[in-house]
Amino acid sequence: MRRRWVLLPAGLLICALTAAVPSLTTPMVNMARRLPLGHPGQTLVEDTFYLTEGIEASQSLLPTTKGLTFRPAYLAVGVKVDRDGRLHGRPQRPGTYVAPVHICAGRSCKEHKLTLIVLSNVPWEPRELTFPGKAGVALHGEIGVNGGPTGVVPTFTVTDHAKLPKGVTIGPDGHVGGVPAAAGVSEVPVRICVAGNCAGVVVRLIIV
């Protein structure tokens, strides 16, 4: 009889511990997937987007955690987001729009506020596309942009890095730098974007 009374408290203790400790399998996976959505300010890399009236949106929402999806919805007049976070459509009116977007992990979704700044379509053009230099001497140049909406910083992307001469770089701010390794003429394709209004240009580097 004594053995039965000893085993009974031990069994009750084991049951209590089992109930207190969460499962180490499926429930823990669900908790891990839901955790990022509990911190909406940290769910997206960027939550403010600049667009241009009448220009097709081509940007994407970038989650800080893999495996998240988006609930398709309209964010502004003419602009919507799809399940993969891509923005589609042409903004119809200038202005600042604060819109909710639902970010989901499985069936669990959280609302996150996005800011879309739609600017008037102001024409722009590149300021400088030809840069002379000497082999072995550092280059210092800026592509730059004339026109465009006030206060918007343009971005510059080299679309074929193989066309850059050895030792030369073109940064996302349009800065042309580096030390050319050899003489020659290079034509480098660059995509310039001003608030979603993008165009391709050719930057010419003449190294002697």
Side-chain angles (χ1 to χ4, degrees), residues 108-160:
S108 176
C109 299
K110 289 286 185 178
E111 184 180 287
H112 187 100
K113 296 292 185 181
L114 289 183
T115 301
L116 301 181
I117 300 175
V118 180
L119 302 168
S120 299
N121 194 340
V122 180
W124 61 266
E125 61 181 6
R127 187 164 53 239
E128 184 61 61
L129 293 176
T130 301
F131 300 90
K134 292 184 179 181
V137 178
L139 276 173
H140 294 287
E142 299 286 341
I143 299 175
V145 165
N146 286 330
T150 303
V152 177
V153 179
T155 59
F156 305 81
T157 305
V158 176
T159 56
D160 187 351

Side-chain angles (χ1 to χ4, degrees), residues 27-172:
M28 285 299 290
V29 173
N30 291 338
M31 290 172 64
R33 293 187 67 193
R34 293 178 183 177
L35 180 59
L37 295 178
H39 305 278
Q42 303 172 4
T43 306
L44 296 176
V45 174
E46 180 62 56
D47 57 10
T48 299
F49 295 87
Y50 290 86
L51 305 173
T52 296
E53 179 186 12
I55 301 295
E56 182 73 24
S58 60
Q59 295 152 303
S60 295
L61 309 184
L62 300 176
T64 56
T65 303
K66 292 183 179 180
L68 300 183
T69 59
F70 299 84
R71 186 178 296 170
Y74 277 93
L75 303 177
V77 180
V79 180
K80 59 184 177 181
V81 62
D82 66 14
R83 185 178 185 277
D84 296 321
R86 291 188 294 264
L87 301 182
H88 296 278
R90 300 172 184 268
Q92 301 298 312
R93 292 195 296 269
T96 299
Y97 302 87
V98 178
V101 62
H102 288 86
I103 307 172
C104 304
R107 295 182 179 180
S108 176
C109 299
K110 289 286 185 178
E111 184 180 287
H112 187 100
K113 296 292 185 181
L114 289 183
T115 301
L116 301 181
I117 300 175
V118 180
L119 302 168
S120 299
N121 194 340
V122 180
W124 61 266
E125 61 181 6
R127 187 164 53 239
E128 184 61 61
L129 293 176
T130 301
F131 300 90
K134 292 184 179 181
V137 178
L139 276 173
H140 294 287
E142 299 286 341
I143 299 175
V145 165
N146 286 330
T150 303
V152 177
V153 179
T155 59
F156 305 81
T157 305
V158 176
T159 56
D160 187 351
H161 287 272
K163 297 292 182 67
L164 278 169
K166 186 176 180 180
V168 177
T169 61
I170 298 177

Side-chain angles (χ1 to χ4, degrees), residues 4 6 8 26 32 39 48 55 72 89 93 118 137 181 193-194 197 199:
R4 292 183 181 177
V6 171
L8 182 57
T26 304
H39 305 278
T48 299
I55 301 295
R93 292 195 296 269
V118 180
V137 178
C193 291
V194 183
N197 188 0

